[in-house]
Amino acid sequence: MVFTKIIFPFIVDNFYLFLPLLLPLVYLRIFFNKSELQSDKERSKKTTKFAQKEKEAGNRTQNEDADDEVEEVDDDDELEDPAGPAVEDVDFISYEFTQYTEEEMILRSQQFFQEMNKRRTIRVFSDKPVPRQVIENIIRTAGTAPSGAHTEPWTYVVVSDPKLKVSIQDIVEREEMINYTQRMGIKWTNDLKFLKTDWNKPYLTEAPYLVLLFKQVHGYTNTGQKKVHYYNEISCSISAGLFLAAVQQAGLVTLTSTPLNCGPALRSLLNRPENEKLLMLLPVGYPGPNSTVPALSRKSLQEFSSFH
Ligand SMILES: Cc1cc2nc3c(=O)[nH]c(=O)nc-3n(C[C@H](O)[C@H](O)[C@H](O)COP(=O)(O)O)c2cc1C
């Protein structure tokens, strides 16, 4: 009542008296809006520059990228061909699903776990030959892995030639000696002590097959343009997991190795293109007659999972 009858008419009649108060308020609002926008822009610029620098340094994995803000897409970029096939080239077909009973599922999952639980990393190999077809099937299995935008960014290079194996051993042992004595440092070498590994890698000439997994950091389209390989390291790592499972299922053994600093020399020895970077070196074969493994225990289900 007081407001509508007295205060409001007073404000309307004398609004010019309030103008000096309003102007600074409007000015302040504009100023804060501007500085907010500015700091947003600077933050975004910094993130992009940081990601770019990390990429240029070549020490950033796709995995680390996944947690960052996504870089702005520059729409002025020349339109590239799609990473995968064109939308009009892909039909959708019905999925052939095999339905098992609950009992069958429990049994199958149990049996698969029991088989995989027997898998161990083997570091002493027999030179007993393995049929090439087995290796082909194992790699076929690895090739069934899902991949970012179905780019299938993996190359499996299989070496059985004895001379080439000696060259690989020379490269790896030379680098591993520097790794153990200089690059890895006290903490890393201490953490590895229980495995009793060193820079000698006899398995590189003992195992009938050395399988080198290269991640394709990008690909090429039919017209020769660079094709983005989304999450290529994650995709290749999933593929490697299937490879390990297939080796186990076939009744063979392998060693998941990531020889530090050997990538460029092995890439050049095996004539691989510059878009391929070595991810893993996996000897495959039978365990050697005196092969031992460290008695390691695995975490229980409760320790590494949580059900809600
Ligand atoms: C990413 C990765 C890299 C590895 N690199 C090496 C390696 O360079 N040399 C080696 O002897 N073992 C290597 N290993 C094997 C591990 O030491 C082994 O998996 C671990 O000790 C557990 O033993 P298990 O595989 O028998 O269960 C690697 C394993 C992984 C997953």
Side-chain angles (χ1 to χ4, degrees), residues 119-121 123 176 195 197 255-259 296 298:
R119 184 209 56 79
R120 292 304 311 268
T121 293
R123 296 182 176 89
E176 287 284 55
L195 291 174
T197 55
L255 155 56
T256 313
S257 81
T258 44
L296 307 175
R298 295 191 165 125

Side-chain angles (χ1 to χ4, degrees), residues 154-159 212-216 263-278:
W154 40 71
T155 304
Y156 283 87
V157 178
V158 182
V159 177
L212 292 95
L213 166 55
F214 288 84
K215 60 173 184 183
Q216 300 165 5
L266 292 177
R267 183 172 69 77
S268 133
L269 176 75
L270 299 167
N271 291 319
R272 298 315 307 166
E274 56 77 33
N275 63 321
E276 292 184 4
K277 312 277 178 222
L278 182 71

Side-chain angles (χ1 to χ4, degrees), residues 90-102:
V90 180
D91 290 333
F92 274 68
I93 53 172
S94 58
Y95 172 60
E96 279 179 31
F97 180 66
T98 312
Q99 175 82 63
Y100 298 106
T101 64
E102 290 190 355

Side-chain angles (χ1 to χ4, degrees), residues 259-308:
L260 186 67
N261 239 46
C262 300
L266 292 177
R267 183 172 69 77
S268 133
L269 176 75
L270 299 167
N271 291 319
R272 298 315 307 166
E274 56 77 33
N275 63 321
E276 292 184 4
K277 312 277 178 222
L278 182 71
L279 192 65
M280 284 174 208
L281 194 168
L282 305 130
V284 180
Y286 297 95
N290 302 315
S291 207
T292 57
V293 289
L296 307 175
S297 60
R298 295 191 165 125
K299 287 181 180 172
S300 69
L301 177 68
Q302 289 71 26
E303 284 174 285
F304 69 91
S305 65
S306 126
F307 290 71
H308 301 275

Side-chain angles (χ1 to χ4, degrees), residues 122 124-130 205-209 253 284-289:
I122 297 300
V124 178
F125 282 73
S126 143
D127 59 3
K128 187 177 165 184
V130 168
T205 39
E206 286 166 356
Y209 290 102
V253 295
V284 180
Y286 297 95

Side-chain angles (χ1 to χ4, degrees), residues 5-293:
K5 290 229 157 161
I6 302 168
I7 299 177
F8 186 66
F10 175 81
I11 292 174
V12 172
D13 287 344
N14 303 284
F15 78 97
Y16 55 89
L17 289 175
F18 296 94
L19 270 180
L21 255 179
L22 267 176
L23 279 174
L25 276 176
V26 170
Y27 178 76
L28 273 175
R29 181 79 203 119
I30 290 171
F31 174 78
F32 277 118
N33 258 352
K34 251 191 167 177
S35 59
E36 244 175 56
L37 221 109
Q38 195 68 23
S39 60
D40 268 356
K41 265 190 176 172
E42 266 163 20
R43 212 177 305 133
S44 147
K45 248 190 197 169
K46 269 187 191 162
T47 315
T48 311
K49 268 192 181 168
F50 179 70
Q52 193 62 34
K53 270 194 178 165
E54 283 285 293
K55 276 201 178 130
E56 278 163 12
N59 58 2
R60 189 184 182 77
T61 67
Q62 198 96 28
N63 212 350
E64 285 162 337
D65 277 349
D67 277 346
D68 279 344
E69 288 175 46
V70 175
E71 280 180 51
E72 257 176 51
V73 174
D74 189 351
D75 281 336
D76 294 338
D77 272 359
E78 216 176 292
L79 246 189
E80 289 181 2
D81 294 343
V87 64
E88 61 273 16
D89 291 341
V90 180
D91 290 333
F92 274 68
I93 53 172
S94 58
Y95 172 60
E96 279 179 31
F97 180 66
T98 312
Q99 175 82 63
Y100 298 106
T101 64
E102 290 190 355
E103 290 73 28
E104 282 170 330
M105 284 195 290
I106 291 167
L107 189 67
R108 285 170 63 89
S109 56
Q110 237 168 18
Q111 284 171 340
F112 188 65
F113 162 65
Q114 278 160 1
E115 183 59 45
M116 290 313 298
N117 202 26
K118 287 190 232 155
R119 184 209 56 79
R120 292 304 311 268
T121 293
I122 297 300
R123 296 182 176 89
V124 178
F125 282 73
S126 143
D127 59 3
K128 187 177 165 184
V130 168
R132 181 185 153 133
Q133 217 181 329
V134 178
I135 303 299
E136 284 176 359
N137 287 336
I138 288 168
I139 295 173
R140 274 196 186 98
T141 304
T144 65
S147 61
H150 190 52
T151 46
E152 300 168 285
W154 40 71
T155 304
Y156 283 87
V157 178
V158 182
V159 177
S160 57
D161 175 56
K163 276 192 198 147
L164 211 43
K165 286 198 279 187
V166 169
S167 304
I168 292 175
Q169 187 180 36
D170 285 347
I171 291 171
V172 174
E173 288 189 339
R174 195 177 53 230
E175 288 300 325
E176 287 284 55
M177 188 160 134
I178 307 172
N179 293 337
Y180 274 86
T181 55
Q182 297 168 35
R183 294 194 190 108
M184 284 155 67
I186 292 166
K187 174 153 176 39
W188 195 347
T189 44
N190 257 346
D191 287 348
L192 281 182
K193 264 194 180 139
F194 74 99
L195 291 174
K196 296 198 173 141
T197 55
D198 58 26
W199 57 82
N200 294 299
K201 307 291 174 192
Y203 55 79
L204 291 172
T205 39
E206 286 166 356
Y209 290 102
L210 302 181
V211 179
L212 292 95
L213 166 55
F214 288 84
K215 60 173 184 183
Q216 300 165 5
V217 292
H218 65 80
Y220 294 99
T221 63
N222 292 339
T223 55
Q225 283 179 305
K226 272 190 184 176
K227 181 170 118 175
V228 181
H229 277 179
Y230 304 97
Y231 299 108
N232 55 73
E233 188 162 321
I234 298 178
S235 306
C236 286
S237 303
I238 296 172
S239 174
L242 293 182
F243 180 97
L244 300 186
V247 167
Q248 182 66 25
Q249 168 70 16
L252 295 171
V253 295
T254 184
L255 155 56
T256 313
S257 81
T258 44
L260 186 67
N261 239 46
C262 300
L266 292 177
R267 183 172 69 77
S268 133
L269 176 75
L270 299 167
N271 291 319
R272 298 315 307 166
E274 56 77 33
N275 63 321
E276 292 184 4
K277 312 277 178 222
L278 182 71
L279 192 65
M280 284 174 208
L281 194 168
L282 305 130
V284 180
Y286 297 95
N290 302 315
S291 207
T292 57
V293 289

